[in-house]
Amino acid sequence: MRMYDLIEKKKHGGTLTDEEIREMIALYTDGTIPDYQMSALMMAIYFQGMTDAETFTLTEAMAKSGDTVCLDRFGDRSVDKHSTGGVGDKTTLIVAPIVAAAGGIVAKMSGRGLGHTGGTVDKLESFPGFRTSLPPQEFADQAERVGLAVIGQSANLAPADKKLYALRDVTATVDSLPLIASSIMSKKLAAGTRSIVLDVKCGSGAFMRTPEDATRLAETMVRIGIAHGRNTAAVITNMDIPLGHAIGNAMEVTEAIEVLRGGGPDDLRTVCLTLATRMIALSCKKSIDEARTIAEDCLYGGKAYAKFCEWIEAQGGDASYAKDPALFGRAAHTGEVCAEAGGYLSACNAELIGTAAMILGAGRQTKDSVIDLRAGILLLKKPGDPVEKGEVIARLFTERADTLDAAADTVRAALTFSETAVEKQPLIFAVIDNHAVFSKEEPTP
Ligand code: URA
């Protein structure tokens, strides 16, 4: 195989064979193929796309390029949820204990936040003592005992994707649908769960800006999962506005605990119940209606909250914080953003709110930045809500008073007001299940 020939073939819209893709990934991972040739191929793929068969093979080759986790002993019960990333997205903290309480086994690797988006691993570190790295045997044992274990991504999981993603990031080739789909799914396949539910976000705070693009990505990922024998479904959810009211690590954990105790914001609860329903349906082999009833029983009956406390403790965290979230404390400095005129809040750009939270210290500007677990934003109003002149729309929290002005300006830039009433946006645009069927799901609080 000559890399030059593959680039030439793809440049003219040809189809790479399975052997070519497998060899190319092996030779790139071991350093034989240089970055400049791989960049040229990525750009050719960006313009010419890939067939499903090429995308499936690329995903599998990347998944097998490093360690793979074996969860076969749990059968279909092992289940993972993946979010394509958002602002205020604390769904794992709620969904994972609901599903574990229902009998699923959530053995999950999660990421850290970067830029305007948050990461579950950072949020979990709000609990003093919580261990986000466990040896493989302890990870599997905890998953079996508690039904739930969440750790940071293993360094050697899909190393081909790690190398390729870093290359795509600096060669303007991230936003290619087959490359995004294969990148995400290679890590999901390597992580070993038999069932996978994808939360594909769309809107101003997400990779995919429109429901149509998000749906195309979701359909490709569902097809990849099914082609590799995984029960896979995707939910397209709104990330035009942040999810829930809290943005920032300890504040998001507190909000997740409110939902687990039967309260919390309606939008967050609705998205969580939809995701949990799909995870229970796939992992516990239930109909959607049965799974929904089970999810609601686990949430409203307190089993999910009990499971959450058990999980935090099992992973070394101080569960007294789960019982009394006031222990997380508040950041030293606060600020406010108020409505400059009366009317309605009509938009709240999720990316800008995430950026404002990052400025306050809740997120990382670069991979090496240190985050402040108590920093963040509490949004008191959401689009569609009526507002009065001078009413507080958002409260800001930080340990660094010098960040407040820039963060407040960024929050102001995120907000749009209208004199007339505006409709609330849909929360869930579509569910793509394992028949690649497209259905509308009514959001139910
Ligand atoms: N997230 C990933 O893991 N890979 C991509 O290509 C894009 C988003």
Side-chain angles (χ1 to χ4, degrees):
M1 184 210 86
R2 284 204 322 152
M3 188 62 177
Y4 179 92
D5 298 334
L6 267 55
I7 299 167
E8 184 71 14
K9 188 177 188 183
K10 189 44 89 179
K11 184 176 85 179
H12 293 291
T15 303
L16 306 179
T17 66
D18 289 351
E19 292 69 35
E20 286 169 338
I21 293 171
R22 289 197 187 108
E23 199 173 342
M24 171 217 26
I25 289 298
L27 294 178
Y28 182 60
T29 311
D30 75 12
T32 309
I33 293 175
D35 279 348
Y36 56 82
Q37 281 191 311
M38 190 54 101
S39 317
L41 183 69
M42 292 295 114
M43 191 56 87
I45 291 173
Y46 175 87
F47 282 112
Q48 297 291 357
M50 290 183 113
T51 64
D52 266 3
E54 287 177 297
T55 312
F56 297 168
T57 306
L58 175 64
T59 310
E60 188 180 320
M62 292 198 295
K64 289 184 174 162
S65 65
D67 296 342
T68 52
V69 181
C70 179
L71 299 171
D72 286 353
R73 66 169 142 145
F74 302 129
D76 282 317
R77 285 170 67 212
S78 65
V79 58
D80 193 357
K81 173 194 78 79
H82 177 83
S83 158
T84 56
V87 179
D89 180 5
K90 66 282 286 176
T91 53
T92 295
L93 302 175
I94 301 162
V95 166
I98 296 177
V99 176
I105 300 223
V106 185
K108 183 168 170 45
M109 295 194 190
S110 283
R112 294 191 180 275
L114 185 62
H116 72 277
T117 61
T120 302
V121 167
D122 296 325
K123 298 181 220 276
L124 286 168
E125 284 179 348
S126 302
F127 288 98
F130 192 95
R131 293 190 299 148
T132 52
S133 160
L134 297 177
Q137 191 57 44
E138 199 177 335
F139 174 63
D141 288 349
Q142 182 183 313
E144 181 155 32
R145 202 175 64 252
V146 182
L148 175 48
V150 178
I151 55 172
Q153 202 109 12
S154 131
N156 200 35
L157 200 81
D161 171 64
K162 199 170 199 175
K163 204 171 164 191
L164 260 182
Y165 190 65
L167 183 73
R168 288 165 53 215
D169 206 22
V170 292
T171 55
T173 49
V174 167
D175 53 342
S176 149
L177 191 145
L179 295 181
I180 297 175
S182 55
S183 164
I184 293 174
M185 290 304 288
S186 66
K187 287 170 286 212
K188 295 292 109 183
L189 296 186
T193 57
R194 194 71 70 75
S195 303
I196 302 166
V197 172
L198 303 156
D199 178 4
V200 181
K201 305 279 186 199
C202 88
S204 62
F207 249 114
M208 297 288 140
R209 297 288 158 131
T210 65
E212 292 73 28
D213 284 347
T215 301
R216 285 195 314 127
L217 175 64
E219 286 175 342
T220 305
M221 292 196 290
V222 170
R223 286 200 298 273
I224 293 173
I226 292 167
H228 291 94
R230 311 297 170 99
N231 310 309
T232 314
V235 184
I236 315 287
T237 64
N238 188 322
M239 190 36 71
D240 211 38
I241 51 185
L243 192 56
H245 296 293
I247 300 104
N249 299 285
M251 288 164 59
E252 292 192 39
V253 173
T254 301
E255 188 167 78
I257 292 169
E258 282 166 21
V259 173
L260 286 163
R261 285 171 161 174
D266 290 346
D267 61 343
L268 177 60
R269 187 177 332 101
T270 298
V271 169
C272 287
L273 281 171
T274 303
L275 292 167
T277 297
R278 293 285 158 175
M279 290 170 77
I280 294 167
L282 294 183
S283 61
C284 303
K285 299 278 168 242
K286 302 287 179 195
S287 71
I288 299 303
D289 287 348
E290 284 169 338
R292 175 90 195 185
T293 305
I294 294 170
E296 287 178 353
D297 286 350
C298 289
L299 180 62
Y300 299 128
K303 278 196 241 161
Y305 173 59
K307 185 58 75 181
F308 179 81
C309 297
E310 186 188 349
W311 164 38
I312 298 301
E313 201 161 335
Q315 239 168 293
D318 184 344
S320 61
Y321 284 64
K323 294 178 183 128
D324 179 13
L327 290 173
F328 289 120
R330 277 276 153 99
H333 305 281
T334 60
E336 285 178 353
V337 172
C338 301
E340 278 158 22
Y344 294 83
L345 183 63
S346 57
C348 179
N349 181 294
E351 180 173 6
L352 287 173
I353 297 290
T355 303
M358 181 184 73
I359 293 170
L360 292 166
R364 291 186 183 78
Q365 318 243 12
T366 69
K367 280 190 184 124
D368 303 320
S369 315
V370 176
I371 56 170
D372 167 5
L373 293 168
R374 284 195 284 233
I377 298 174
L378 206 52
L379 283 175
L380 304 183
K381 299 282 172 188
K382 299 295 277 280
D385 287 346
V387 293
E388 285 178 19
K389 183 170 183 216
E391 210 178 342
V392 180
I393 307 288
R395 281 191 212 287
L396 318 185
F397 300 88
T398 182
E399 302 293 355
R400 295 193 352 243
D402 61 335
T403 62
L404 280 170
D405 286 348
D409 286 346
T410 309
V411 171
R412 269 183 220 105
L415 305 175
T416 310
F417 296 91
S418 148
E419 286 177 1
T420 50
V422 285
E423 272 189 28
K424 295 242 178 207
Q425 292 185 18
L427 275 177
I428 294 165
F429 292 102
V431 177
I432 290 141
D433 61 19
N434 51 348
H435 309 295
V437 176
F438 205 137
S439 63
K440 289 264 178 248
E441 183 149 304
E442 287 302 315
T444 41

